[in-house]
Amino acid sequence: MVELKGEVKEIIFQNEINSYTIAVLETEVEELTVVGYLPFITIGDSLKLEGKYVTHQEYGRQFKIETFEKIMPETLESLERYLGNGTIKGVGPATAKRIVDHFGQETLYVLKFEPEKLGDVKGITRNKGIEIATQFNENWELWQIVGFLEKFGIGVQNAKNVYKALGINAIEEIEANPYVLIDVANNVDFKLIDKMAMEMGVAKNNEKRVRSGIKYALIRATYNGHCAVVKEELYEFIKSLLSIEFEDIDNSIINMRTNKEIYLEEREGKTWVYLYYYYEVENNIAGKLLTLDKAENLKKITHLTKEIKEIEKKTNIFLSEKQKEAIEAVNNNNVCIITGGPGTGKTTIIKTIIELYKKHKKKAVLCAPTGRAAKRMTETTGEEAKTLHRLLEIGKIEDEVNHPDIDYKVAPLDSDVVIIDEMSMVDIFLMNYLVKALYLGTKLILVGDVDQLPSVGPGNVLQDLINSEKFTTITLNKIFRQAAKSKIILNSHRINEGQFFIKKEQMEDELNEDFFFIKEINQEKILQQVISLCSGRLKKIGDYDFFKNIQIISPTKKGLLGTKDLNRALQEKLNPHSETKAEKNVLGTIFRVGDKVMQIKNNYDIYWEKKGKSSENGTGVFNGELGIIEKIDDLEKQIKIRFDDDKIVWYQYAELDQLEHAYAVTVHKAQR
């Protein structure tokens, strides 16, 4: 085995899934290509590698990595490059040079033990210096944990969660009880953790092993949207997973129930097993909604029929009997559900309700679960709508489903009426935060289509509330004449009814040509069809420009027609490599000027500005927002993006994990 020390000068390739990397390492003797698994590595990192030299038939001499360790930079030049490589927010090459020039050989000591001294460097305040040092030290401690966790198959994102939960003693705690990872990390490979624990001598029926197996099974169920599992099915799964007897499972279930780790509920002749906090959340939602609905109806409007007629006259909108029934239901109840497919008049009802309560000086709040849904709501109603996260000011809560902060103190909502659109996308945790914020006497109107995809998170809140028959529900099923001109709307209803797409001979002349069905079963041919439509055919049909008017949607990320491969193919066709266009390789993904990208997580702190006649600025870019890369600044390690609403945002290279290509997006992402 050969040992090498050196600095990463270039990353040629890095697989985003398993971190298999091809990089150029500069040692004291030479620059050479190294290959192997190197998670969480960036240009400028100093590494100690063990492995062997191999000869590739095409690329020649390489160093194949067997084990690796990240080490502190050993020269001032390499330290400067490390500090300026984009992993520390706000520190680019220029700032890194000033820090190293100022402190010289004392730089590492200052970063570790006297961070306030960084305030002596030009352009750095005392507080900013402490922030820089904190990031530097956290990154270093995190790296030690990352290297250790790699053998458990746990990636970089999870390493942060582990560090937050277990602190600097994380490695010691995991070595003492590997199963603790089930409690503090997400999407862990239980079988790999279990294998290592067994190799350490843990018995098959060890209490910690069985309890962790049960938690793993219940958490795994939540990934599919379930909040609870039937007891018999859980036992069968655990028996197969752990190769133990039902008696061992019973003992752990009893102890976990006593310790309030799980909850058992008898319902419809079956025993359902919950993780305890999932039960608490469901129970709280049900209790709060029932209490709210039974409270005194303080916002009821008298002479409603007369007032509806006045609004119809004022707005030149004429409501159907079913729409009037929905408005009466809202007036008569504190909690009301309005459901129906596209084109059935839900938006008209919302607009009328807003007009009603505005006339009575009542404050109506509009919201939706996602940024895109809130934007659509604003456009269709003419009133400001917010995301539930922004409305409830819960941006700082972790997005991790496994460890939600169910005790988070939500500020009460100052409103008389709360209207939630796209309710089908609300999961149990978001709903729990909402019901906590409602005063008794507030009217809550839930609007949505139960035939849409359910929430990405656990729970099917809208459908369950309707099925409970505890709350007044108005179901809209008439397609209005204007909406009926759209084949998209007609066909969506036909599909829900189990019918095939409407045929050409069934269409009326006035129908818009807004829906086409191309029958093809060969994946390669489908891909070529998609590329052809995006690169010219649709522009000829209706002057549709890909970057302004076209969005590709796929049900999956994987495969030739999944979003990953589609994005690569469409980028190559619509925005290919050019010597005149800057680009940045991030873990094997190439971001290029002109690329269409999507924000894939909520970031409530990132700064944005809009320029023009009415300049404005603020903070916050949210999951699902789309934009175009306008500039890549390799000197300052930043990317400039203009979003659809003309927000200009600069991303540090270290923040690019928040973005992905959006030439093609999944169905779930398209709803955001």
Side-chain angles (χ1 to χ4, degrees):
M1 195 80 75
V2 179
E3 181 180 292
L4 290 180
K5 282 185 182 181
E7 181 184 337
V8 178
K9 301 296 290 183
E10 180 184 356
I11 294 178
I12 299 169
F13 169 79
Q14 190 165 52
N15 185 299
E16 60 184 279
I17 304 299
N18 61 13
S19 296
Y20 181 82
T21 304
I22 302 172
V24 176
L25 189 80
E26 182 182 60
T27 69
E28 291 182 353
V29 178
E30 62 178 331
E31 280 192 3
L32 76 161
T33 301
V34 298
V35 297
Y37 296 96
L38 292 174
F40 208 44
I41 288 295
T42 58
I43 294 171
D45 286 345
S46 295
L47 304 178
K48 181 170 76 174
L49 308 175
E50 288 189 352
K52 59 184 178 182
Y53 291 102
V54 295
T55 302
H56 191 280
Q57 288 184 348
E58 187 174 350
Y59 300 113
R61 181 171 174 265
Q62 297 178 336
F63 187 81
K64 186 176 180 182
I65 303 162
E66 296 293 336
T67 64
F68 66 95
E69 180 184 347
K70 191 171 179 179
I71 58 177
M72 281 290 184
E74 295 182 346
T75 67
L76 291 180
E77 291 80 8
S78 61
L79 177 58
E80 181 183 317
R81 285 191 292 271
Y82 174 75
L83 291 175
N85 69 5
T87 56
I88 300 175
K89 188 175 179 180
V91 179
T95 304
K97 178 172 173 50
R98 289 199 301 272
I99 292 172
V100 174
D101 284 350
H102 189 91
F103 295 108
Q105 297 292 343
E106 298 295 311
T107 302
L108 284 176
Y109 182 87
V110 169
L111 284 165
K112 286 185 174 182
F113 304 111
E114 296 181 339
E116 65 280 354
K117 285 188 176 180
L118 289 170
D120 297 338
V121 177
K122 183 180 178 182
I124 300 178
T125 64
R126 184 179 186 278
N127 288 341
K128 182 64 177 176
I130 292 172
E131 184 183 326
I132 289 170
T134 299
Q135 284 189 61
F136 175 85
N137 290 309
E138 281 185 355
N139 285 348
W140 191 255
E141 289 177 1
L142 176 60
W143 171 253
Q144 308 306 311
I145 297 171
V146 167
F148 174 76
L149 291 179
E150 190 205 9
K151 61 186 179 184
F152 290 94
I154 294 175
V156 175
Q157 277 306 116
N158 263 329
K160 283 191 176 182
N161 295 331
V162 173
Y163 176 71
K164 283 180 184 177
L166 303 181
I168 59 175
N169 296 320
I171 294 175
E172 290 82 355
E173 288 204 36
I174 294 165
E175 286 177 332
N177 175 22
Y179 296 109
V180 72
L181 291 169
I182 300 296
D183 294 324
V184 298
N186 295 300
N187 300 313
V188 296
D189 185 342
F190 177 84
K191 291 182 179 178
L192 181 57
I193 292 170
D194 190 44
K195 179 175 179 289
M196 298 194 73
M198 298 288 280
E199 288 173 355
M200 292 165 57
V202 174
K204 277 189 176 183
N205 62 350
N206 178 280
E207 172 73 9
K208 290 178 181 176
R209 179 174 187 257
V210 180
R211 283 174 61 253
S212 294
I214 293 168
K215 282 187 178 179
Y216 164 73
L218 293 172
I219 290 169
R220 181 170 158 174
T222 69
Y223 297 155
N224 295 320
H226 305 301
C227 298
V229 177
V230 176
K231 184 179 177 182
E232 288 76 16
E233 294 175 6
L234 177 66
Y235 274 46
E236 289 292 345
F237 179 83
I238 298 299
K239 183 179 180 182
S240 172
L241 178 72
L242 302 181
S243 299
I244 56 175
E245 299 302 320
F246 286 153
E247 182 183 349
D248 299 316
I249 304 171
D250 257 333
N251 292 335
S252 290
I253 288 284
I254 291 168
N255 291 336
M256 292 175 77
R257 187 178 185 182
T258 302
N259 294 330
K260 291 191 174 182
E261 295 176 80
I262 61 172
Y263 186 90
L264 273 60
E265 182 181 58
E266 299 295 332
R267 190 171 73 244
E268 299 172 352
K270 295 180 179 179
T271 302
W272 294 82
V273 185
Y274 289 80
L275 285 166
Y276 194 83
Y277 53 86
Y278 278 76
Y279 174 77
E280 278 190 298
V281 166
E282 279 202 350
N283 195 45
N284 187 59
I285 294 169
K288 289 285 177 67
L289 287 178
L290 287 170
T291 302
L292 180 66
D293 196 39
K294 291 174 182 175
E296 184 180 356
N297 190 350
L298 300 173
K299 308 298 187 303
K300 187 168 184 176
I301 297 171
T302 55
H303 309 298
L304 182 68
T305 303
K306 178 185 174 184
E307 299 216 11
I308 289 175
K309 286 180 180 177
E310 290 175 358
I311 289 173
E312 284 182 306
K313 187 176 180 180
K314 175 186 172 184
T315 60
N316 202 29
I317 294 173
F318 298 97
L319 301 166
S320 70
E321 290 305 311
K322 199 70 174 177
Q323 287 175 314
K324 290 176 183 176
E325 181 187 340
I327 294 167
E328 288 170 3
V330 169
N331 192 43
N332 293 330
N333 299 274
N334 288 330
V335 179
C336 185
I337 301 168
I338 301 171
T339 183
T344 55
K346 298 190 294 294
T347 300
T348 302
I349 292 171
I350 293 172
K351 289 168 76 172
T352 306
I353 290 169
I354 294 168
E355 286 294 326
L356 265 174
Y357 287 102
K358 278 171 70 175
K359 182 181 176 184
H360 286 267
K361 303 289 191 292
K362 302 295 183 186
K363 184 178 179 181
V365 170
L366 279 62
C367 56
T370 68
R372 194 176 300 173
K375 183 180 177 183
R376 281 199 304 268
M377 200 177 187
T378 299
E379 292 167 349
T380 56
T381 64
E383 302 287 336
E384 183 189 10
K386 296 181 178 180
T387 65
L388 278 163
H389 280 83
R390 183 177 283 286
L391 177 69
L392 300 172
E393 299 178 348
I394 54 176
K396 302 303 180 184
I397 296 177
E398 291 291 332
D399 287 332
E400 303 298 343
V401 171
N402 288 8
H403 309 287
D405 185 358
I406 63 173
D407 296 320
Y408 185 83
K409 304 298 181 186
V410 183
L413 282 177
D414 176 22
S415 60
D416 298 298
V417 182
V418 176
I419 305 173
I420 308 177
D421 199 10
E422 301 290 0
M423 183 62 202
S424 62
M425 289 190 280
V426 176
D427 64 31
I428 60 168
F429 295 113
L430 197 49
M431 191 66 186
N432 185 50
Y433 298 133
L434 173 68
V435 297
K436 284 180 167 187
L438 298 175
Y439 285 115
L440 287 183
T442 303
K443 280 189 178 291
L444 178 64
I445 305 166
L446 309 177
V447 184
D449 181 357
V450 292
D451 291 319
Q452 284 192 348
L453 285 176
S455 61
V456 176
N460 194 357
V461 178
L462 179 62
Q463 184 73 69
D464 288 347
L465 290 176
I466 293 171
N467 291 345
S468 74
E469 299 182 351
K470 297 290 185 183
F471 306 98
T472 300
T473 301
I474 304 299
T475 302
L476 307 171
N477 46 31
K478 177 189 173 184
I479 305 175
F480 283 83
R481 187 171 182 274
Q482 194 62 33
K485 292 181 180 180
S486 166
K487 282 187 285 180
I488 295 173
I489 290 176
L490 283 176
N491 281 323
S492 67
H493 284 272
R494 288 178 70 88
I495 292 166
N496 283 339
E497 293 162 6
Q499 301 178 46
F500 195 73
F501 304 133
I502 192 167
K503 296 179 181 177
K504 195 153 191 169
E505 58 267 23
Q506 295 173 292
M507 301 176 193
E508 299 175 20
D509 292 339
E510 64 177 335
L511 285 174
N512 298 320
E513 289 295 314
D514 63 358
F515 181 97
F516 301 91
F517 174 61
I518 301 172
K519 188 174 182 179
E520 182 57 71
I521 59 174
N522 181 283
Q523 289 197 22
E524 290 281 358
K525 289 182 179 178
I526 294 172
L527 177 61
Q528 292 311 311
Q529 287 272 19
V530 170
I531 292 173
S532 172
L533 286 164
C534 294
S535 58
R537 279 167 63 193
L538 284 172
K539 191 166 184 65
K540 291 176 184 176
I541 291 171
D543 196 27
Y544 295 116
D545 175 83
F546 179 84
F547 292 95
K548 294 179 181 177
N549 314 113
I550 300 171
Q551 182 60 63
I552 307 302
I553 300 173
S554 172
T556 180
K557 290 183 178 181
K558 299 178 180 178
L560 187 64
L561 300 176
T563 56
K564 289 186 182 296
D565 281 3
L566 279 171
N567 273 315
R568 279 190 282 269
L570 289 164
Q571 182 195 39
E572 185 177 333
K573 180 68 178 179
L574 301 171
N575 190 31
H577 171 76
S578 166
E579 294 299 327
T580 62
K581 284 186 178 180
E583 58 184 48
K584 168 65 179 171
N585 189 321
V586 181
L587 301 179
T589 298
I590 295 174
F591 289 108
R592 185 175 295 138
V593 169
D595 275 346
K596 186 177 184 180
V597 293
M598 175 188 279
Q599 176 81 11
I600 58 171
K601 58 178 73 172
N602 291 331
N603 184 334
Y604 290 80
D605 300 320
I606 196 165
Y607 175 80
W608 57 261
E609 59 184 8
K610 293 182 183 180
K611 297 180 179 178
K613 291 182 180 179
S614 56
S615 296
E616 58 179 305
N617 56 56
T619 58
V621 180
F622 304 104
N623 192 350
E625 291 198 54
L626 297 169
I628 302 292
I629 296 176
E630 290 195 339
K631 186 176 182 180
I632 296 176
D633 186 338
D634 214 27
L635 184 63
E636 292 298 324
K637 311 289 185 186
Q638 292 180 322
I639 286 183
K640 176 186 178 184
I641 295 175
R642 180 184 296 274
F643 284 92
D644 283 351
D645 58 356
D646 285 329
K647 288 198 300 275
I648 300 293
V649 183
W650 285 92
Y651 286 77
Q652 299 287 330
Y653 281 1
E655 297 172 317
L656 295 183
D657 62 339
Q658 300 176 32
L659 298 171
E660 64 182 28
H661 286 124
Y663 295 88
V665 300
T666 61
V667 177
H668 271 113
K669 286 292 185 186
Q671 289 193 143
R672 290 194 168 275

